[in-house]
Amino acid sequence: MYKANLKNILTRKEERTVDLTLIPHVGDTLQLRQPDKFLLVHGVTHIIENESIEFEIFVEPIDRTYWMNEI
């Protein structure tokens, strides 16, 4: 399991911290169930201090219509 801090690239604020089994790639979309959100991944940073398995994932909130049009 990887600990990932999701950071909004528009507001520079942390959206939330989640545990992930896979690290997403740039261009992937993450869907959070509560609240129902879609996040487009713009960048992934591995925090390498103290041999951690922590990541910062930079995301942009998108709406469901945008996500469906990309499929």
Side-chain angles (χ1 to χ4, degrees):
M1 236 357 139
Y2 301 103
K3 180 180 174 188
N5 299 318
L6 304 179
K7 295 204 173 182
N8 186 321
I9 63 167
L10 303 176
T11 63
R12 298 181 185 223
K13 293 183 181 176
E14 188 170 311
E15 288 281 330
R16 70 171 55 179
T17 300
V18 295
D19 290 322
L20 299 174
T21 55
L22 298 171
I23 299 302
H25 299 310
V26 172
D28 286 351
T29 302
L30 302 175
Q31 181 180 6
L32 303 176
R33 297 277 182 202
Q34 293 182 13
D36 195 23
K37 280 186 173 181
F38 290 89
L39 302 169
L40 180 63
V41 176
H42 280 275
V44 178
T45 300
H46 183 198
I47 301 169
I48 58 172
E49 296 172 353
N50 301 325
E51 299 178 24
S52 75
I53 52 171
E54 237 180 283
F55 289 83
E56 284 186 335
I57 301 175
F58 299 93
V59 296
E60 174 187 0
I62 57 174
D63 63 13
R64 190 173 192 281
T65 304
Y66 176 91
W67 178 75
M68 292 298 287
N69 287 338
E70 289 296 312
I71 295 181

